[in-house]
Amino acid sequence: MDSRRLVPRTDALLADPRLAAAARRLGQARVKAAVTAAQQQAREGRITPAQVADVAVAALPAQAASLTPVLNATGVLLHTNLGRAPLSAAARDAVAAAAGCTDLEFDLAAGTRGRRGRGALAALAAAVPAAQAVHVVNNNAAALVLAATALAGGAGAASEIVVSRGELIEIGDRFRLPELLESTGARIREVGTTNRTTLADYAAAVGPATAFVLKVHPSNYRIEGFTASTGVAELAGLPVPVIGDIGSGLLVPCPLLPDEPDADTWLRAGAALVTASGDKLLGGPQAGLILGRADLVDRLARHPLARALRVDKLTFAALEATLAGPPAPVAEALAASETALTDRAKRLAARMCSAGIDARAVPAQAAAGGGAAPGVVLPSAAVSLPQALSAPLRNGDPVRHGVVPAVIGRTEGGRVLLDLRSVPPDDDDTLAAAVIAAADAQGPAG
């Protein structure tokens, strides 16, 4: 008898406990498609009928979403390509709890409609004592768009935004601040030069057409040498509001990053509003934080555009847990000692060597990244591996089948470095397992 006639029936295969579990996780249609493809391979003689169920199981992803879990071993703590700040365990638990129905806009005690995101907003206000009021939108660019639209947009008399030429920033993917602001209908009034802008430059530009002065922290570059800039305290003496974009999301001073501006300090210096990112140094979800004068925050929050820029329950949950909970992973990474990182690298390298892998503990240099603390070098330690392991670590069979997460390092001197400052200590076992799995999948050459 032709063995291909022994290919198992679809209903029998779908009853396999592994495939039944996958159907609950991924959906019946995706599992049935994998089963059909495996049956066809058996009919074509490429696999035996007995292998059909195994092949179907192996073809299925670990989860329904296409996003793949990644261990960030690049040494860049806030890596934009890898989703910037990883959430704390408390924030992840909060997101899971908020995934169902919640009291997002409902007052359980009164039985009436309640303020949206009240817990997160209260936590944000408590974290920045100098802020009279706070509001949250979906990212820092949205916060600036809302401010420009509400305060300077349209054809009104006061529609100019005064900003230094040295602060007209461009970030990744050709995102340019002037183009963002001009899209709201506001007009940009550039003052000063690239390297020097004085208070007199601002004062000469401010007039009846000025809606506000924008002070932007150049969070992804530095201008050095013959330079001059004007601080918020000086600008606050001008007869128009000052809006400060700190970008990096630092809410209060950080001793580890003494040159990085923070929201509370700028507000105390006289800024009317400060905007910041939630997924950078704060270590929370992507969000745009708006803090400052109560009348201006209320004006922004009540503008029609605010509805289009609002965040969902998952963001509010993660933000509140980040603000009120234990230190976020990015804060712990910044605070990690070089000695502790070196000890971890030595232990991991020894463990990998015992598995037959050419692994070495080496010193390294990490960075905050994500538009924060430009030029600040963070001493670190890394595990150095053969460059041939780079691709299997990113996308080998164990990664594609969800056995281990992808590991993203960086290449230096013909070796792959896994920088441990951006890897939480609790993930060391997972990191070692991923490296060993990648080496095993590669074969003896690894």
Side-chain angles (χ1 to χ4, degrees):
M1 177 185 294
D2 188 342
S3 62
R4 287 175 290 183
R5 296 189 179 187
L6 300 177
V7 174
R9 290 170 34 184
T10 300
D11 57 350
L13 289 165
L14 293 176
D16 183 295
R18 298 169 297 170
L19 292 168
R24 291 190 292 271
R25 186 178 75 250
L26 304 172
Q28 187 80 4
R30 180 177 288 186
V31 173
K32 187 174 180 179
V35 166
T36 300
Q39 289 172 318
Q40 185 61 31
Q41 291 183 54
R43 294 187 184 101
E44 294 171 357
R46 290 186 285 154
I47 61 174
T48 68
Q51 294 175 301
V52 171
D54 292 340
V55 169
V57 169
L60 291 169
Q63 54 192 15
S66 61
L67 290 173
T68 300
V70 165
L71 283 181
N72 174 14
T74 64
V76 179
L77 306 188
L78 301 167
H79 201 301
T80 299
N81 301 144
L82 304 181
R84 289 189 180 160
L87 295 179
S88 67
R92 296 183 195 191
D93 289 344
V95 169
C101 293
T102 72
D103 59 342
L104 177 66
E105 294 184 11
F106 187 70
D107 187 325
L108 291 173
T112 58
R113 183 168 184 165
R115 186 188 183 194
R116 183 182 179 88
R118 56 196 176 276
L121 295 174
L124 179 58
V128 187
Q132 295 178 2
V134 300
H135 186 63
V136 178
V137 290
N138 54 24
N139 61 19
N140 191 50
L144 288 173
V145 163
L146 183 57
T149 302
L151 304 180
S159 59
E160 280 190 356
I161 300 172
V162 176
V163 60
S164 167
R165 287 187 174 89
E167 298 174 3
L168 294 174
I169 62 173
E170 177 181 324
I171 59 175
D173 200 26
R174 294 186 57 80
F175 171 84
R176 292 179 172 180
L177 178 64
E179 295 171 359
L180 175 77
L181 297 175
E182 288 170 346
S183 72
T184 69
R187 300 193 307 274
I188 305 299
R189 179 74 178 271
E190 301 177 17
V191 297
T193 63
T194 302
N195 59 316
R196 292 179 66 83
T197 306
T198 66
L199 181 60
D201 293 322
Y202 288 98
V206 169
T210 305
F212 60 84
V213 169
L214 178 61
K215 176 67 178 177
V216 182
H217 170 53
S219 57
N220 61 354
Y221 66 94
R222 292 191 303 182
I223 299 176
E224 299 178 328
F226 184 58
T227 65
S229 62
T230 306
V232 171
E234 296 175 276
L235 295 174
L238 297 171
V240 293
V242 176
I243 295 181
D245 170 19
I246 62 171
S248 63
L250 199 61
L251 299 186
V252 295
C254 175
L256 297 170
L257 301 172
D259 296 327
E260 193 72 12
D262 65 276
D264 196 68
T265 298
W266 274 22
L267 288 171
R268 293 183 189 279
L273 290 176
V274 169
T275 68
S277 296
D279 58 349
K280 294 185 179 180
L281 291 176
L282 177 60
Q286 177 180 294
L289 314 180
I290 302 171
L291 314 102
R293 271 173 37 189
D295 62 324
L296 294 182
V297 172
D298 184 66
R299 186 172 168 183
L300 268 60
R302 293 184 179 277
H303 192 278
L305 183 60
R307 175 82 177 196
L309 302 178
R310 74 180 187 178
V311 299
D312 70 344
K313 60 186 179 181
L314 302 182
T315 299
F316 274 131
L319 180 61
E320 181 177 359
T322 299
L323 290 163
V330 65
E332 294 180 330
L334 282 170
S337 73
E338 187 177 1
T339 298
L341 293 169
T342 300
D343 289 344
R344 288 173 57 199
K346 290 178 179 178
R347 288 195 299 270
L348 282 167
R351 184 171 172 181
M352 295 171 192
C353 285
S354 67
I357 300 169
D358 174 14
R360 313 164 194 169
V362 297
Q365 293 184 336
V376 175
V377 174
L378 304 172
S380 188
V383 177
S384 171
L385 300 170
Q387 188 171 345
L389 283 176
S390 179
L393 284 169
R394 291 195 316 269
N395 197 37
D397 284 342
V399 174
R400 292 196 300 273
H401 295 148
V403 178
V404 295
V407 177
I408 313 298
R410 67 178 188 268
T411 301
E412 288 185 10
R415 304 274 293 181
V416 176
L417 298 189
L418 306 183
D419 193 313
L420 298 183
R421 189 173 282 278
S422 56
V423 180
D426 289 347
D427 284 337
D428 280 359
D429 287 344
T430 303
L431 178 64
V435 172
I436 292 170
D440 288 344
Q442 186 190 35

